[in-house]
Amino acid sequence: MHTPSRGAGEVARVHVLVVGSGGREYALGVALLRSPSVRRVSFTPGTDAMGVLGDVWRIPWTEPEEIAERVRAERVDLVVVGPEEPLAHGFADVLRTRGVPVVGPGREGARLEASKVFAKELMREAGISTAEFRVVEHISEAEDLLASGPYPLVIKADGLAQGKGVVVAGDEKEARATLGEMLEARRFGEAGSRVVVERFLEGVELTVHALVADNEAVLLPPARDYKRLGTGDVGPNTGGMGGFSPLPEYGPAAEARVRAEVLDPLLATLDRRGISYRGILYLGLMWTAEGPHVLEFNVRFGDPEAQILLSRVAGDLGAVLSKLAEGRLRPDALRFREERAVGVVVAAPGYPEAPVRGLPLPYPAEPTLPVARGETPLLRVYYANVRAAEGVDFTRTRRGVFRSHDARLVSHGGRLLTVVGLGEDFEEAHRRAYAWAAPFREAGFFLREDIADEEHLRRYAERFSGG
Ligand code: AMP
Ligand code: GLY
């Protein structure tokens, strides 16, 4: 592996490859470019919009050998994997075998997300609080639960289903239909050949990420994600429609509980099973009257939580991740700004069933690509499923701003971008994000209207007392 040259007292300037093509990876790219230790960021497969941040390789993760070859040729020092799918397929293992430092667990560790059954059994072994559950392969095995509930029952496809494999079934009819769709009609293919049926937990939901380097870990500030599609928390679960960070009610006492009751027992159990984990760990928690219960583990940053959280990062994320990939932690290098952050996802009309493609975004892509170091813009835009309009060339300037004022982006999938507003308080952050998003609403794009609004924050504070 190439070792960056290092003068006396100088930070090594590294070249980082980010794997993925969503808003989360865009945000990772921005945060890495702002890191003093990072010289350059490249992306694969990436998107047109990522061209303003660095080189876009276009090689899919399903070609790990080709990526490893290019990593060598371009002297990449660190690979950061954004999404779960490559991790679940052993992408990180392939690169590590070739001596490439990677942020992201190997296939074994990725089972924490790739199999809900694995995660539940591991939690049982570790003594981590989670909803009571049963693993079901045939509807007949759930007859007694279907008859008695208690409802709502939560039904989860075992495998990866892009955040859509969880149904909160309100009554027997819905539960039966859901089990039929998953187990018999195989709506999620093999991912739904087993399901977890679990008890509904009442409480306040929050996301806490940890940076994990084998036996050491550091918890990041908490965030709140809005998973339901519609304003007012209605409609199906999605990958996430927006969120905010931090949670004012979550202080050192709450963090100490998450560490003692969830993180430490989890790391001890991974260690006992001989599973090395170097990467980001996502704890999806329900804080009930008794305290934190785990709803799910993810083996990567949340999307849009990453966009929201990384907008608050100060310090050197690149340095922290470089060390993490070697199995060491340097938590002191990472700080979070005091500002509140509110993130709103803008989706294409027709999301999630049939998002319209090719629709021009009502903005030039140009105005807010905050890449230059030292800047602390209070508005950040992170692009996901967008493309350059036909005939538009994305030109990058030194400051990471589009040169062409004609540069137009068009929709190319469901979630198009996340806009994050920062502010002294949530009201200011909220106002900033929504002011930027307003022309999208007028042009018929889809967004939730209630992310971090006053009413919601008040209710949240009333119900949550993490300490
Ligand atoms: P998961 O992917 O397992 O986090 O589930 C997706 C969403 O479904 C969660 O973010 C919760 O909003 C909800 N959910 C999952 N499990 C439960 C549960 N046991 N009780 C209540 N809500 C749940
Ligand atoms: N926003 C939730 C997730 O990324 O899983």
Side-chain angles (χ1 to χ4, degrees), residues 264-287:
D264 287 346
L266 176 67
L267 297 189
T269 306
L270 288 174
D271 189 45
R272 201 161 47 240
R273 291 194 182 194
I275 300 174
S276 164
Y277 194 109
R278 294 180 188 175
I280 316 297
L281 177 69
Y282 170 119
L283 308 174
L285 303 175
M286 186 70 87
W287 205 286

mmCIF file of all heavy atoms in Angstrom, residues 264-287:
data_model
loop_
_atom_site.group_PDB
_atom_site.id
_atom_site.type_symbol
_atom_site.label_atom_id
_atom_site.label_comp_id
_atom_site.label_asym_id
_atom_site.label_seq_id
_atom_site.Cartn_x
_atom_site.Cartn_y
_atom_site.Cartn_z
ATOM 1 N N ASP A 264 -21.463 -1.806 24.689
ATOM 2 C CA ASP A 264 -20.456 -2.672 25.306
ATOM 3 C C ASP A 264 -20.813 -4.158 25.212
ATOM 4 O O ASP A 264 -19.968 -4.970 24.812
ATOM 5 C CB ASP A 264 -20.185 -2.237 26.756
ATOM 6 C CG ASP A 264 -19.387 -0.924 26.817
ATOM 7 O OD1 ASP A 264 -18.837 -0.529 25.752
ATOM 8 O OD2 ASP A 264 -19.321 -0.305 27.887
ATOM 9 N N PRO A 265 -22.055 -4.542 25.569
ATOM 10 C CA PRO A 265 -22.388 -5.965 25.429
ATOM 11 C C PRO A 265 -22.308 -6.447 23.983
ATOM 12 O O PRO A 265 -21.914 -7.594 23.730
ATOM 13 C CB PRO A 265 -23.829 -6.073 25.947
ATOM 14 C CG PRO A 265 -24.230 -4.736 26.435
ATOM 15 C CD PRO A 265 -23.114 -3.775 26.239
ATOM 16 N N LEU A 266 -22.641 -5.578 23.036
ATOM 17 C CA LEU A 266 -22.563 -5.979 21.627
ATOM 18 C C LEU A 266 -21.114 -6.245 21.231
ATOM 19 O O LEU A 266 -20.789 -7.277 20.622
ATOM 20 C CB LEU A 266 -23.162 -4.891 20.731
ATOM 21 C CG LEU A 266 -23.048 -5.160 19.238
ATOM 22 C CD1 LEU A 266 -23.900 -6.358 18.830
ATOM 23 C CD2 LEU A 266 -23.457 -3.945 18.429
ATOM 24 N N LEU A 267 -20.213 -5.307 21.589
ATOM 25 C CA LEU A 267 -18.805 -5.481 21.217
ATOM 26 C C LEU A 267 -18.226 -6.725 21.879
ATOM 27 O O LEU A 267 -17.472 -7.478 21.258
ATOM 28 C CB LEU A 267 -17.980 -4.250 21.612
ATOM 29 C CG LEU A 267 -18.346 -2.932 20.918
ATOM 30 C CD1 LEU A 267 -17.317 -1.858 21.227
ATOM 31 C CD2 LEU A 267 -18.491 -3.102 19.414
ATOM 32 N N ALA A 268 -18.602 -6.966 23.126
ATOM 33 C CA ALA A 268 -18.096 -8.147 23.828
ATOM 34 C C ALA A 268 -18.563 -9.422 23.127
ATOM 35 O O ALA A 268 -17.804 -10.388 22.983
ATOM 36 C CB ALA A 268 -18.557 -8.129 25.284
ATOM 37 N N THR A 269 -19.799 -9.408 22.650
ATOM 38 C CA THR A 269 -20.338 -10.601 21.992
ATOM 39 C C THR A 269 -19.702 -10.817 20.619
ATOM 40 O O THR A 269 -19.391 -11.951 20.241
ATOM 41 C CB THR A 269 -21.877 -10.496 21.881
ATOM 42 O OG1 THR A 269 -22.386 -10.244 23.197
ATOM 43 C CG2 THR A 269 -22.490 -11.765 21.347
ATOM 44 N N LEU A 270 -19.478 -9.731 19.884
ATOM 45 C CA LEU A 270 -18.782 -9.857 18.594
ATOM 46 C C LEU A 270 -17.388 -10.436 18.827
ATOM 47 O O LEU A 270 -16.932 -11.326 18.110
ATOM 48 C CB LEU A 270 -18.673 -8.494 17.900
ATOM 49 C CG LEU A 270 -19.966 -7.917 17.314
ATOM 50 C CD1 LEU A 270 -19.727 -6.498 16.787
ATOM 51 C CD2 LEU A 270 -20.525 -8.800 16.202
ATOM 52 N N ASP A 271 -16.734 -9.931 19.856
ATOM 53 C CA ASP A 271 -15.390 -10.387 20.181
ATOM 54 C C ASP A 271 -15.389 -11.879 20.526
ATOM 55 O O ASP A 271 -14.565 -12.648 20.022
ATOM 56 C CB ASP A 271 -14.863 -9.551 21.359
ATOM 57 C CG ASP A 271 -13.387 -9.807 21.607
ATOM 58 O OD1 ASP A 271 -12.628 -9.827 20.609
ATOM 59 O OD2 ASP A 271 -13.002 -10.005 22.768
ATOM 60 N N ARG A 272 -16.362 -12.264 21.331
ATOM 61 C CA ARG A 272 -16.456 -13.677 21.732
ATOM 62 C C ARG A 272 -16.675 -14.559 20.513
ATOM 63 O O ARG A 272 -16.189 -15.676 20.442
ATOM 64 C CB ARG A 272 -17.615 -13.833 22.722
ATOM 65 C CG ARG A 272 -17.516 -15.077 23.585
ATOM 66 C CD ARG A 272 -18.367 -15.008 24.840
ATOM 67 N NE ARG A 272 -19.717 -14.549 24.604
ATOM 68 C CZ ARG A 272 -20.248 -13.463 25.168
ATOM 69 N NH1 ARG A 272 -19.544 -12.738 26.008
ATOM 70 N NH2 ARG A 272 -21.492 -13.105 24.890
ATOM 71 N N ARG A 273 -17.408 -14.056 19.551
ATOM 72 C CA ARG A 273 -17.657 -14.848 18.342
ATOM 73 C C ARG A 273 -16.522 -14.731 17.323
ATOM 74 O O ARG A 273 -16.610 -15.272 16.221
ATOM 75 C CB ARG A 273 -18.959 -14.396 17.674
ATOM 76 C CG ARG A 273 -20.194 -14.745 18.474
ATOM 77 C CD ARG A 273 -21.409 -14.594 17.602
ATOM 78 N NE ARG A 273 -22.647 -14.870 18.313
ATOM 79 C CZ ARG A 273 -23.812 -15.055 17.694
ATOM 80 N NH1 ARG A 273 -23.887 -15.002 16.386
ATOM 81 N NH2 ARG A 273 -24.902 -15.299 18.380
ATOM 82 N N GLY A 274 -15.507 -13.936 17.663
ATOM 83 C CA GLY A 274 -14.354 -13.806 16.766
ATOM 84 C C GLY A 274 -14.637 -12.952 15.539
ATOM 85 O O GLY A 274 -14.018 -13.142 14.483
ATOM 86 N N ILE A 275 -15.581 -12.020 15.659
ATOM 87 C CA ILE A 275 -15.913 -11.156 14.526
ATOM 88 C C ILE A 275 -15.232 -9.801 14.691
ATOM 89 O O ILE A 275 -15.491 -9.081 15.642
ATOM 90 C CB ILE A 275 -17.443 -10.961 14.420
ATOM 91 C CG1 ILE A 275 -18.132 -12.322 14.229
ATOM 92 C CG2 ILE A 275 -17.788 -10.001 13.276
ATOM 93 C CD1 ILE A 275 -19.656 -12.258 14.263
ATOM 94 N N SER A 276 -14.345 -9.475 13.745
ATOM 95 C CA SER A 276 -13.693 -8.161 13.768
ATOM 96 C C SER A 276 -14.620 -7.153 13.089
ATOM 97 O O SER A 276 -15.140 -7.409 12.006
ATOM 98 C CB SER A 276 -12.365 -8.239 13.013
ATOM 99 O OG SER A 276 -11.899 -6.937 12.710
ATOM 100 N N TYR A 277 -14.824 -6.022 13.739
ATOM 101 C CA TYR A 277 -15.722 -5.000 13.181
ATOM 102 C C TYR A 277 -14.996 -3.669 13.162
ATOM 103 O O TYR A 277 -14.685 -3.105 14.206
ATOM 104 C CB TYR A 277 -16.995 -4.909 14.035
ATOM 105 C CG TYR A 277 -18.128 -4.131 13.381
ATOM 106 C CD1 TYR A 277 -19.264 -4.792 12.925
ATOM 107 C CD2 TYR A 277 -18.065 -2.751 13.225
ATOM 108 C CE1 TYR A 277 -20.310 -4.089 12.319
ATOM 109 C CE2 TYR A 277 -19.094 -2.048 12.623
ATOM 110 C CZ TYR A 277 -20.216 -2.719 12.171
ATOM 111 O OH TYR A 277 -21.233 -2.024 11.570
ATOM 112 N N ARG A 278 -14.723 -3.180 11.976
ATOM 113 C CA ARG A 278 -14.137 -1.847 11.826
ATOM 114 C C ARG A 278 -15.029 -1.056 10.884
ATOM 115 O O ARG A 278 -14.984 -1.259 9.669
ATOM 116 C CB ARG A 278 -12.737 -1.934 11.233
ATOM 117 C CG ARG A 278 -11.775 -2.616 12.179
ATOM 118 C CD ARG A 278 -10.399 -2.694 11.594
ATOM 119 N NE ARG A 278 -9.567 -3.506 12.448
ATOM 120 C CZ ARG A 278 -8.328 -3.843 12.165
ATOM 121 N NH1 ARG A 278 -7.781 -3.421 11.026
ATOM 122 N NH2 ARG A 278 -7.629 -4.583 12.993
ATOM 123 N N GLY A 279 -15.814 -0.184 11.461
ATOM 124 C CA GLY A 279 -16.722 0.570 10.613
ATOM 125 C C GLY A 279 -17.686 1.379 11.443
ATOM 126 O O GLY A 279 -17.481 1.611 12.629
ATOM 127 N N ILE A 280 -18.731 1.818 10.759
ATOM 128 C CA ILE A 280 -19.776 2.596 11.414
ATOM 129 C C ILE A 280 -20.855 1.625 11.860
ATOM 130 O O ILE A 280 -21.225 0.722 11.113
ATOM 131 C CB ILE A 280 -20.414 3.599 10.423
ATOM 132 C CG1 ILE A 280 -19.363 4.320 9.566
ATOM 133 C CG2 ILE A 280 -21.342 4.559 11.146
ATOM 134 C CD1 ILE A 280 -18.397 5.168 10.309
ATOM 135 N N LEU A 281 -21.345 1.826 13.055
ATOM 136 C CA LEU A 281 -22.454 1.016 13.539
ATOM 137 C C LEU A 281 -23.618 1.945 13.843
ATOM 138 O O LEU A 281 -23.440 2.983 14.485
ATOM 139 C CB LEU A 281 -22.026 0.262 14.798
ATOM 140 C CG LEU A 281 -23.087 -0.588 15.483
ATOM 141 C CD1 LEU A 281 -23.454 -1.785 14.617
ATOM 142 C CD2 LEU A 281 -22.573 -1.055 16.843
ATOM 143 N N TYR A 282 -24.776 1.549 13.363
ATOM 144 C CA TYR A 282 -25.988 2.355 13.538
ATOM 145 C C TYR A 282 -26.888 1.635 14.518
ATOM 146 O O TYR A 282 -27.245 0.481 14.302
ATOM 147 C CB TYR A 282 -26.635 2.461 12.169
ATOM 148 C CG TYR A 282 -28.026 3.048 12.052
ATOM 149 C CD1 TYR A 282 -28.223 4.200 11.289
ATOM 150 C CD2 TYR A 282 -29.138 2.422 12.598
ATOM 151 C CE1 TYR A 282 -29.501 4.722 11.108
ATOM 152 C CE2 TYR A 282 -30.417 2.942 12.421
ATOM 153 C CZ TYR A 282 -30.593 4.088 11.677
ATOM 154 O OH TYR A 282 -31.849 4.601 11.478
ATOM 155 N N LEU A 283 -27.219 2.307 15.602
ATOM 156 C CA LEU A 283 -28.136 1.727 16.574
ATOM 157 C C LEU A 283 -29.490 2.408 16.386
ATOM 158 O O LEU A 283 -29.616 3.611 16.625
ATOM 159 C CB LEU A 283 -27.641 1.970 17.999
ATOM 160 C CG LEU A 283 -26.188 1.564 18.303
ATOM 161 C CD1 LEU A 283 -25.799 2.015 19.711
ATOM 162 C CD2 LEU A 283 -26.012 0.061 18.155
ATOM 163 N N GLY A 284 -30.466 1.643 15.931
ATOM 164 C CA GLY A 284 -31.827 2.159 15.831
ATOM 165 C C GLY A 284 -32.528 1.812 17.136
ATOM 166 O O GLY A 284 -32.760 0.647 17.429
ATOM 167 N N LEU A 285 -32.822 2.834 17.946
ATOM 168 C CA LEU A 285 -33.300 2.585 19.312
ATOM 169 C C LEU A 285 -34.731 3.053 19.519
ATOM 170 O O LEU A 285 -35.172 4.031 18.920
ATOM 171 C CB LEU A 285 -32.415 3.328 20.319
ATOM 172 C CG LEU A 285 -30.921 3.026 20.303
ATOM 173 C CD1 LEU A 285 -30.197 3.937 21.290
ATOM 174 C CD2 LEU A 285 -30.655 1.560 20.629
ATOM 175 N N MET A 286 -35.429 2.342 20.381
ATOM 176 C CA MET A 286 -36.711 2.819 20.900
ATOM 177 C C MET A 286 -36.513 3.003 22.401
ATOM 178 O O MET A 286 -36.173 2.057 23.111
ATOM 179 C CB MET A 286 -37.819 1.793 20.634
ATOM 180 C CG MET A 286 -39.196 2.278 21.023
ATOM 181 S SD MET A 286 -39.813 3.589 19.934
ATOM 182 C CE MET A 286 -40.586 2.637 18.626
ATOM 183 N N TRP A 287 -36.668 4.248 22.837
ATOM 184 C CA TRP A 287 -36.470 4.549 24.261
ATOM 185 C C TRP A 287 -37.832 4.417 24.934
ATOM 186 O O TRP A 287 -38.685 5.280 24.777
ATOM 187 C CB TRP A 287 -35.889 5.944 24.440
ATOM 188 C CG TRP A 287 -35.132 6.083 25.720
ATOM 189 C CD1 TRP A 287 -35.663 6.179 26.973
ATOM 190 C CD2 TRP A 287 -33.709 6.115 25.877
ATOM 191 N NE1 TRP A 287 -34.656 6.263 27.912
ATOM 192 C CE2 TRP A 287 -33.441 6.236 27.266
ATOM 193 C CE3 TRP A 287 -32.637 6.051 24.984
ATOM 194 C CZ2 TRP A 287 -32.147 6.298 27.777
ATOM 195 C CZ3 TRP A 287 -31.355 6.120 25.492
ATOM 196 C CH2 TRP A 287 -31.108 6.244 26.868
#
